[in-house]
Structures are given as C-alpha cells and as structure tokens.
Amino acid sequence: MSSIAKTPMNSSAAEKARAQAHYRFKPLNIGRILVWGLFALALIVAPLIFTSSLALTMLSQIGYLIIICLSYNILLGQGGMLSFGHAVYTGLGSFLAIHAMNKAAAGEIAIPLVLIPIVGGLAGMFFAAIFGYVTTKKSGTTFAMITMGLGELVASMALMFPEFFGGEGGITTDRVYSKFFGLDFGSGLQVYYLIAVYCFVCTAAMFAFTGTPLGRMLNAVRDNPERVEFVGYNTQRVRYFAFIIAGFFAGIGGGLTAINFEIITAMDSVSVVRSGGYLLFTFLGGATFFFGPIIGAVLLVLASVLLSELTKAWLLYLGLVFLLMVMYAPGGVASLIMMNLRVAKFGHFKRLLMPYLGILAAGIVTVVGAASLIEMIYHMQLNAALGPKVPFMGAELDTSAASTWTVAIVVFVVGLGLLEGVRRLTARRWGRIQEAIEESIKKGEG
C-alpha cells in the first residue's frame, strides 16, 4: 500500500464517504417514495374533495385515461413510434371486456368484475401481438401509415360484424352482477376506487418498465437504431415486445372504460379520431417525460367534458393550443415544468415572476379578444336564427353592432402586441438566466 493511502486526509475522506453512504438511506429512495405516496393520496382523497356527480365522472375518466395515455407513451415517448391506431387496442379490449361481463352476468363464465380489466388487457395484448408483428417491421413514417391503415380497417369492420361490435348502437351491459367483499359497484364512487387501484398499479408497472433492460433498449432503438443493431440486438423485436406491452395496458384502460360507461360503441372506441386524441394530448402533456401523459389525460378530460360544454368551437381552440405548443413548447407542459424547476433550483425563479405575470395578463387580454371574435363568427354561422345576441363570459355580444366587432378586434390586436412585447422581454431574461446557470455549473465543476 502506498504512503499516500495512509495520510490523515485520505482517512477523513473515507469517513466522509461512509457518512454520506449512511445518510442516503439505501436501498430506500425517499424522494420516490414521497412522490408515489402523494400520488396514491391524491387518488384516495380526490372524490372526497370533489363530491359532485360530474366531478366523480371526470375523475373516473381521468383514471383510465392515465393508463391509456401512458401506454401510448411507451410507443411514442419511449420508443419513438408514432401510432395513429392506438385506439384499436383500447377499443377491442373494451369490446372483449363488455362481452365477458355479459357472459359472466348470464352465468356462462365465472369472472368477477374486478378482473374484467385484465380480460381487456389480455385482449389488447392478443391483438397487439397480431397487428404489431406487421406494423413493427417498419419504423418512422411507414410505421405511422401502417397503424393508420389498421385503425381504419378495424373501424370499418364495426359495421361488417354487428354481432361483435353491436352495430351503430354498440354493446350494453350491467356491471352489477356480482359482489366483491360486499361491493356490488353499483355506485359511481365504488367504480372510481376500482379505477383508481388499477390506475396506481398500472402506472407503477409502466414506470418500472422504463428501468428494465427492454425499456432501456427501447430508448436506444428510439435514439440510435443503427448502433443497437451493431451491438447485436434485433430492433424489430424490441419494438414488437414494447408494442405488445403497450397493447396490454391499453386493453386494461379499455376494460375500465366498459365498466365505467356500461356501453361501448365502435364510433367512440376504435375510430382514428380517438387515436388522434390520445396522440394529441400525450404530446401536449409531454411525451419525453413519464409524468407528461398524466398531465395529458387530465387535459383530455377537461377539454372533452368542460370545454365542449362551454363552446361549440372547442375543437378550434384545441387546435390553436396545439399549434402554439408545437411552436413554443414542443416538449409539452411537462417540459415547461421541468425547465422552471431547474431555474428554481439555481435560485433564479424570482427574476421570472414579473415577466410571467406580464405574459399572463397580456395572454388573458388576447384570449378574450380572440374568443369574442370566434364566438360571434360561430354564432352567425350556426345559431343566427336565435338572434344577434351571444352570451360570452357573463355578458352579451351583439353581432349586429359594428362597435362590438370593432372593440373585439382592438382588444385582440392590443393584447397580441402586448403579448409579443412581453414574450421578447421574457426570452431575453430567460437567456441571461440560462447563461448564469451554466456559469454556476462550470464553477461547481471547477
């Protein structure tokens, strides 16, 4: 042993290293346990805080949509596979699940309701194994086009096989056919907690998948498939196995959908429009982060339930939001959160408070002006027989008055100008903050 290894400095360093190892609480990860604990607590107390029937319905939809969006993110975010047919596996899982419920209610098979989502998951996995063998042979744009073709194929088959798909009316069921520890799942609260349990377990399972060798190799196939092939892995097989796993969890989400609504129609479950919704909101939430699809699922329910009730132009608003996100935040909402957490970590977030407040104020003015114009145009095109008055934010807009149009245009233009000015100011300050953070990192490394 060298004399350097015997110096007191090395001895103190070794003691410090042992102390640090002790205070890391290995093998426990306190931060991760806290996050998952808060997630479980949120699922438990959410229906106790939001007690209305509409809120309970929305919470149930958020629960199974979290599973579906996370399953889609296995393809898009982790594997780089842009699919336009993910609703196929969710929808087919729903149909198999609802047929299993009807057979169980008739006494033909013995499956308790709590296992029906597993039936949907197995169905989704089965069809993913069949269709995925074809789709995963290609990647990129070709993969996306094949998934779109398969989605249209399954959607068109709905009218060809009415015995299975139920035609235009769909398939109905009654979930109250058995009891599980005294629970008959007749109430919406019991159904919500069933969905919440599956949501937590499936979310944890999909998070665990990201750390498996297959999950890591899927990331490598996404980033550099040539190198993966060079080290001896079959990229098509990696994509295929991930496709099957994504289909399994999508089918579980479909089974929970059947339990929640007790009716499944082909138009609402296997259409390409539904697949596009999963893609859109997974992207808006942030496909590059694991928790991004969770945010996307919440946004999907808010848009489809609340926004659609407020205005008939909700799809236009949704398209505009998607356009702005692609232009200014392509990483989704999750990327915005993570970037600002990084700024806060280095103590610079206070410098952004005033610019953010300016963006918020200018954005509200811009949205009010734009929304008033959109609502008046929609009213003139769709509801002109109801008169010239349009209810808008507690007031009324008169589409027959030129002053109303003038004020709306002025508000929109002024808000847009203010928003652009504040955006440029924020961008300059953001750049200086990033430079300061890089300097701090370099000093730390030095």
Side-chain angles (χ1 to χ4, degrees), residues 281-350:
F281 284 94
T282 300
F283 177 83
L284 289 179
T288 55
F289 298 92
F290 180 79
F291 67 93
I294 298 177
I295 299 175
V298 176
L299 295 176
L300 175 55
V301 174
L302 292 177
S304 59
V305 177
L306 291 183
L307 187 60
S308 62
E309 291 294 327
L310 293 175
T311 174
K312 295 182 178 180
W314 69 279
L315 287 176
L316 176 60
Y317 293 123
L318 188 60
L320 292 174
V321 170
F322 181 73
L323 178 63
L324 292 174
M325 290 295 292
V326 171
M327 292 174 59
Y328 297 107
V333 177
S335 68
L336 297 177
I337 295 174
M338 296 305 295
M339 287 191 297
N340 284 279
L341 285 178
R342 180 174 182 264
V343 171
K345 177 182 177 182
F346 286 90
H348 296 286
F349 189 75
K350 291 182 179 179

Side-chain angles (χ1 to χ4, degrees), residues 154-170:
V154 174
S156 63
M157 289 172 60
L159 298 178
M160 298 170 61
F161 300 97
E163 294 81 7
F164 181 79
F165 292 100
E168 295 182 355

Side-chain angles (χ1 to χ4, degrees), residues 274-436:
R274 179 66 62 180
S275 296
Y278 299 148
L279 165 61
L280 174 62
F281 284 94
T282 300
F283 177 83
L284 289 179
T288 55
F289 298 92
F290 180 79
F291 67 93
I294 298 177
I295 299 175
V298 176
L299 295 176
L300 175 55
V301 174
L302 292 177
S304 59
V305 177
L306 291 183
L307 187 60
S308 62
E309 291 294 327
L310 293 175
T311 174
K312 295 182 178 180
W314 69 279
L315 287 176
L316 176 60
Y317 293 123
L318 188 60
L320 292 174
V321 170
F322 181 73
L323 178 63
L324 292 174
M325 290 295 292
V326 171
M327 292 174 59
Y328 297 107
V333 177
S335 68
L336 297 177
I337 295 174
M338 296 305 295
M339 287 191 297
N340 284 279
L341 285 178
R342 180 174 182 264
V343 171
K345 177 182 177 182
F346 286 90
H348 296 286
F349 189 75
K350 291 182 179 179
R351 297 170 59 185
L352 292 173
L353 285 177
M354 292 306 296
Y356 282 171
L357 290 176
I359 288 178
L360 178 61
I364 291 174
V365 174
T366 306
V367 168
V368 168
S372 59
L373 290 172
I374 292 172
E375 293 301 321
M376 286 192 293
I377 293 173
Y378 261 72
H379 181 80
M380 292 179 64
Q381 294 295 325
L382 302 177
N383 298 322
L386 300 178
K389 300 298 181 88
V390 182
F392 179 75
M393 299 179 64
E396 284 188 345
L397 302 176
D398 189 356
T399 58
S400 62
S403 58
T404 305
W405 291 92
T406 303
V407 171
I409 293 173
V410 169
V411 170
F412 173 66
V413 172
V414 171
L416 197 62
L418 292 174
L419 183 62
E420 178 62 19
V422 178
R423 186 196 67 82
R424 292 184 180 183
L425 174 64
T426 306
R428 288 195 296 267
R429 185 166 297 186
W430 179 269
R432 290 194 294 269
I433 290 174
Q434 296 305 313
E435 292 175 0

Side-chain angles (χ1 to χ4, degrees), residues 26 68 160 184 198 235 247 259 273 352 355 381-382 410 426 446:
K26 288 186 176 181
I68 295 173
M160 298 170 61
D184 60 0
Y198 271 97
T235 57
I259 293 174
V273 175
L352 292 173
Q381 294 295 325
L382 302 177
V410 169
T426 306

